[in-house]
Amino acid sequence: MPRARSAPLAEYRRKRDFSRTAEPAGHGAGAPSRQGTLRFVIQKHAASHLHFDLRLELDGVMKSWAVPKGPSLDPGIKRLAMEVEDHPIDYNTFEGTIPKGEYGGGTVMLWDRGTYRADAADDGDDEKAIRRGYRSGDLKFTLQGERLRGSWVLVRMRGREAGSSKPQWLLIKHRDDEARDDIDIVAETTTSVTTGRTMEEIAAGKKRPAKARKSTTAARRAPPSTRKASARVVTSRAAERFEPMYASIGTSVPDGEGWTFEPKYDGIRVLAFVTKDTVRLVTRNGNDKTKQFPEIAEALRTLGRKAERELVVDGEIIAVVDGEVARFQALQDRMHVKDPLAIEHFADNQPAAIVLFDILVDGPDVLVKEPWTTRRKHLERVLRRRTTHRLRLSESIPGDGQEMLERVRRDGWEGVIAKRTSSRYDPGVRSKAWLKLKVEHRQEFVIGGWTEPRNTREHIGAILLGYFEGDRFIYVGHTGGGFTRAGLKDMYRRLARLERKTPPFETPPRTNERAHWTRPEVVVEVKFNEWTADGKLRQPIFLGVRDDKPARDVGREPESVQHAKR
């Protein structure tokens, strides 16, 4: 491969003052690539406008394109890609902030990285084929990244952007096994591929510890590339690779063939990592609930022994009262208990159950790329004649969503999950292939403060609620209802250690009693009648604390089927 010359980086260096910016000057060659491999990176860049920078290694530099809307996995979507100056190879590891006033001033995140190759190489010479495709304006290549994979093409357009000497291109995903039209990879994947930080955390200079990085989408989204894998390796490392697949809010009941409908249970979502000797119950943000639910761990351990293979299953821990599925509030008292005697008391006197609805790993088979129908058959086979009052299989009704919706309303469940029967399991992705149909107005909010209590009430008057919209923290209302006396004391203990002097809300509310402000970290579930015209909650009631969901993931959920005709 030809050595990098100074000329290709002259424009890059001319635009930057390296006494002010931490960006690499590019005087070195960067870390050498392995023989025969070419590297790529994608950096999310919040400069004057948010965009994504695609960089492909070629002739000792990183050829670069600014993609305003970022890449799309949908072959039907063409994304504008504006060619910019070549960057040095050691820019591939840059993540941080560029000072305001400098060229490209703003926050830079390493969003994806990996290697790439030409789709049609001459005698295995990828660089020669890439060079020819670049010069002809028809650059076809295959990415092998941590987030993006498969075949892509950059097509050069005629003409140039006003004021630019570089041409404009179109970035298009080719139709292959990695193409998707049911997810927005840019919207769903918002953390650094290396540090797990958000753009806000990078801008603030926060360092995320290695333990926290393991629970990010970046670390766990990529499933194994083949179905067959060592079961021992899968279960020992699965917690670092997998997190649940999430449902989008549905605004109507999908009809037609190809859908199945399941109850949305009101509990704690966990992935269970099962062997004949060990069980781990891990929530969506990496909290381990195994010790708090020993009766469920034992039921799954028994399953592992009977199945004689290791499993990764997806399910919901639910409360059971008089043999019937109960609401989330019935779990609230034991969610945060750590005292062994108290845990034993709950397990003996108020035992919970787990309802399983998906399977990711079945012995040597990694199933995340298989359709729901295949995964369901595996799950039914694993649980055949092995279900108990502690270990249950979620029912699923294909084709008739209205029937399930009527049952949900009649039985007082939280809602319905509609699933495409052809859908794969996408760890860490909020997919349109799974739709959450909510029959109640209830969702998570984040506490930004509390007010002083009145009269004989103790500890807290009301909690002040909000949600995140990008960097903005939006106030939506307050509630003092739904608390027990012990609950008020516990909430005060949680919030007092987070107290701060200034309000976290973009527009601070006026309160009837003195307000105390907190760091917006505590997530709670709230039930309410409706949204008002000015974006506030009408008659909100506190239901419980949700330590299984990250605060930064809490946004305003759109309307679902709460007002649909019955």
Side-chain angles (χ1 to χ4, degrees), residues 415-432:
V416 173
I417 300 293
K419 298 180 178 179
R420 285 192 181 275
T421 55
S422 61
S423 62
R424 303 188 300 185
Y425 193 103
D426 288 309
V429 172
R430 189 171 300 281
S431 173
K432 293 179 182 178

Side-chain angles (χ1 to χ4, degrees), residues 93 95 110 113 146-147 191-197 213 218:
T93 59
E95 179 174 279
L110 276 168
R113 63 183 178 181
E146 296 187 41
R147 289 172 175 167
T191 55
S192 166
V193 75
T194 56
T195 65
R197 296 182 296 175
R213 287 200 295 271

Side-chain angles (χ1 to χ4, degrees), residues 8 23 59 104 157 168 174 176-177 180 184 205 238 248 270 277 310 363 394 420 449 465 533 558:
E23 297 168 281
D59 292 334
M157 301 166 64
Q168 295 186 357
H174 280 148
D176 57 17
D177 289 343
R180 304 292 300 276
D184 183 346
S248 300
V270 294
D277 300 315
E310 302 180 358
S394 176
R420 285 192 181 275
L465 304 169

